[in-house]
């Protein structure tokens, strides 16, 4: 009974296939881990994610670690992370992104890992910022500190999908605000769960680039690009 009680809070079934996890496995079983569709975009300078931002914001690196494949595993994981309190999935995905960074980029490439901030009202509704857990996972693997005190979200954007592209463009101005500009000459790794139009990430990156000498890269867990 105690075990049942514990597993309520620490579910030990795979988040993808629901099989019971073996010792040493966390959140996703080893089989599902190997089947998650990786993009390897991190090793391609002109990959579709970095291209999405061409002419919009200058990035050093832009990549997603996973691709939304045909079987919907990643959609399920991201959905659970966002709407079902499955913050451990955020940590897991962040660790995967972090491992890819560790394997592919020189050590100490980044100064800070920055999760895309949620508006305080939205954070209150959801109870957490899903990107914080991704950033934590990356930070843990790469040893790069996470910082949530440099930039905030001051405007809550609503139903972006219903708006035209032009309106979306106007909507992204001044969504974010630097609240601590002391961190000059740093390379920020901006982190989000997914990228679609890229307008939110673009807006956030442009704001970070207002800090003198700053460089920005973008990492997302998954994309359909
Ligand atoms: Zn599994």
């Amino acid at each position: 009974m105690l075990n049942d009680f514990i597993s309520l809070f620490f579910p030990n079934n795979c988040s993808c296939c629901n099989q019971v996890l073996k010792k040493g496995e966390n959140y996703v079983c080893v089989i599902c881990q190997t089947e998650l569709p990786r993009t390897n975009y991190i090793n391609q300078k002109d990959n579709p994610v970095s291209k999405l931002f061409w002419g919009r914001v200058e990035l050093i690196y832009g990549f997603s670690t996973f691709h939304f494949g045909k079987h919907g595993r990643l959609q399920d994981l991201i959905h659970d992370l966002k709407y079902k309190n499955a913050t451990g999935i955020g940590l897991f995905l962040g660790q995967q992104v972090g491992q890819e960074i560790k394997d592919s980029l020189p050590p100490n490439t980044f100064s800070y890992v920055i999760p895309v901030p949620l508006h305080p009202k939205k954070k209150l509704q959801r109870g957490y910022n899903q990107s914080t857990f991704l950033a934590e996972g990356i930070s843990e693997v790469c040893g790069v500190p996470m910082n949530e005190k440099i930039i905030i979200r001051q405007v809550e954007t609503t139903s972006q999908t219903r708006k035209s592209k032009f309106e979306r463009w106007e909507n992204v101005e001044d969504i974010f605000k630097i609240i601590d500009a002391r961190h000059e000459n740093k390379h920020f790794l901006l982190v989000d769960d997914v990228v679609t139009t890229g307008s939110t990430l673009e807006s956030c990156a442009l704001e970070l680039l207002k800090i003198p000498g700053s460089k920005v890269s973008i990492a997302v867990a998954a994309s359909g690009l």
Side-chain angles (χ1 to χ4, degrees):
M1 217 176 102
L2 183 66
N3 273 339
D4 290 346
F5 185 70
I6 288 170
S7 60
L8 261 181
F9 296 97
F10 303 99
N12 39 26
N13 288 63
C14 172
S15 303
C16 289
C17 68
N18 212 32
Q19 296 278 339
V20 175
L21 290 174
K22 297 189 181 77
K23 210 179 162 194
E25 290 179 336
N26 289 309
Y27 311 111
V28 176
C29 77
V30 168
I31 293 168
C32 288
Q33 268 192 48
T34 56
E35 286 178 2
L36 288 177
R38 289 169 190 275
T39 60
N40 197 33
Y41 285 168
I42 196 170
N43 291 309
Q44 304 161 33
K45 195 113 185 88
D46 298 346
N47 72 68
V49 171
S50 66
K51 274 185 177 172
L52 181 68
F53 295 97
W54 282 5
R56 298 165 72 183
V57 56
E58 198 184 323
L59 301 178
I60 306 297
Y61 298 102
F63 61 93
S64 62
T65 296
F66 297 106
H67 198 279
F68 284 130
K70 283 179 192 153
H71 306 295
R73 282 201 180 96
L74 272 153
Q75 281 92 331
D76 291 347
L77 288 177
I78 301 274
H79 183 269
D80 288 357
L81 164 63
K82 265 180 150 162
Y83 305 109
K84 288 193 175 170
N85 267 317
T87 51
I89 290 172
L91 269 182
F92 164 78
L93 290 173
Q95 287 161 354
Q96 302 297 307
V97 178
Q99 193 57 50
E100 193 177 42
I101 291 169
K102 210 175 165 183
D103 293 341
S104 308
L105 303 183
N108 306 316
T109 296
F110 306 113
S111 323
Y112 289 114
V113 185
I114 300 192
V116 170
L118 274 188
H119 189 269
K121 210 172 120 191
K122 187 114 177 228
K123 191 172 168 183
L124 208 66
Q125 280 171 0
R126 188 173 290 167
Y128 58 95
N129 178 356
Q130 74 279 8
S131 297
T132 299
F133 293 90
L134 286 162
E136 242 174 48
I138 295 171
S139 173
E140 194 186 299
V141 173
C142 298
V144 178
M146 175 172 80
N147 196 322
E148 293 187 280
K149 295 196 165 81
I150 293 176
I151 189 164
I152 56 156
R153 190 175 193 133
Q154 58 181 356
V155 177
E156 195 187 11
T157 48
T158 46
S159 55
Q160 294 244 338
T161 42
R162 267 189 270 142
K163 295 195 172 125
S164 73
K165 201 174 181 186
F166 180 70
E167 280 174 308
R168 272 207 299 272
W169 176 265
E170 287 208 309
N171 210 12
V172 299
E173 300 283 319
D174 301 319
I175 293 176
F176 299 97
K177 190 183 172 205
I178 299 291
I179 52 164
D180 183 359
R182 287 175 304 169
H183 303 280
E184 295 188 0
N185 306 308
K186 303 287 186 203
H187 188 169
F188 303 112
L189 177 66
L190 193 54
V191 175
D192 211 351
D193 50 353
V194 296
V195 62
T196 44
T197 66
S199 54
T200 305
L201 280 159
E202 175 193 351
S203 170
C204 197
L206 285 172
E207 190 64 23
L208 283 170
L209 286 171
K210 288 180 182 171
I211 300 174
S214 62
K215 289 185 275 188
V216 175
S217 290
I218 285 174
V220 296
S223 75
L225 299 166

